[in-house]
Amino acid sequence: MRACIVYFSRAGENYLDGEVKSLESGNTKVLAEMIRKFSGLPTFELEPLESYPVDYEEATQKAQRERMRDQSVPYKKTAICLRDFEGIILGYPNWWGSFPQIIKTFLLEADMAGKWIYPFCTHEGSGFGSSLSELQQLCPTATIKDGFTVRGFRVCKAEPAVKNWLTAIEQWEDLSENTSNR
């Protein structure tokens, strides 16, 4: 396989379409599972060692403190070996205008030299924010490719958009030897 999916998501209370609602699975996880379903790529979830609060306000305050302090967020190690892949499809929610600090921690620990990154992001109106330029700064020797964003409250209806995005990126990359899931 040339690619894998790596993502971070948070369940619990989330802001969706102007309201705080409780989610069993975070929006980014739902989107990552759709991408896996249509691509057949191996998927790895980044899970923080210390879980975020279920309460939306508490979680966003914690995320803001982490960002303001440029804090490293340790995560449970996964079986991923990035040497086995030429690139990753990287997913995250937009928190405070960019990716969560756990994504930054992962990228700083990973050797992304010469790899390509297709980012995908869930948000409630701010798209990628500054995350694409921050990805390029963190991974200057990687190639940041065309990304994909979905508003959180629309993620359950995103299958056609996910299929279109995967079809478009496969025009440039042979992501997997196993494309029989399409």
Side-chain angles (χ1 to χ4, degrees):
M1 297 237 176
R2 294 188 62 205
C4 66
I5 302 164
V6 177
Y7 73 95
F8 166 72
S9 190
R10 184 188 149 280
E13 290 183 351
N14 277 267
Y15 187 75
L16 296 172
D17 201 22
E19 296 179 43
V20 174
K21 297 180 182 177
S22 186
L23 301 177
E24 192 172 310
S25 286
N27 292 320
T28 307
K29 182 174 186 163
V30 172
L31 197 55
E33 289 175 350
M34 279 183 204
I35 294 168
R36 181 195 48 76
K37 174 182 170 183
F38 297 119
S39 69
L41 297 174
T43 303
F44 304 93
E45 180 176 8
L46 298 175
E47 298 179 65
L49 288 179
E50 181 183 319
S51 296
Y52 285 91
V54 172
D55 180 81
Y56 175 76
E57 289 300 324
E58 290 176 29
T60 59
Q61 289 170 7
K62 178 178 171 132
Q64 184 181 38
R65 283 191 306 274
E66 290 169 349
R67 184 151 176 85
M68 288 173 48
R69 295 175 183 159
D70 196 23
Q71 186 175 333
S72 177
V73 176
Y75 56 92
K76 298 173 187 173
K77 298 306 175 197
T78 66
I80 186 174
C81 179
L82 285 181
R83 288 186 303 261
D84 295 341
F85 303 101
E86 292 178 47
I88 63 173
I89 297 177
L90 181 66
Y92 50 87
N94 182 327
W95 283 5
W96 297 104
S98 189
F99 44 77
Q101 289 297 107
I102 192 171
I103 296 292
K104 183 175 183 178
T105 302
F106 168 75
L107 292 172
L108 288 172
E109 291 177 0
D111 179 8
M112 298 304 294
K115 297 198 184 299
W116 43 262
I117 301 171
Y118 280 101
F120 68 95
C121 170
T122 57
H123 64 94
E124 278 306 310
S126 52
F128 278 116
S130 63
S131 68
L132 298 180
S133 62
E134 290 181 34
L135 280 174
Q136 193 61 67
Q137 289 172 4
L138 279 174
C139 307
T141 58
T143 303
I144 310 303
K145 301 281 196 160
D146 290 334
F148 177 69
T149 67
V150 176
R151 288 186 68 133
F153 75 94
R154 293 185 180 145
V155 77
C156 290
K157 298 177 183 177
E159 281 194 4
V162 168
K163 286 180 185 178
N164 289 340
W165 181 59
L166 288 171
T167 299
I169 65 177
E170 283 192 345
Q171 291 175 5
W172 299 290
E173 307 283 351
D174 179 19
L175 298 177
S176 169
E177 296 158 358
N178 174 16
T179 56
S180 61
N181 291 336
R182 289 213 172 79

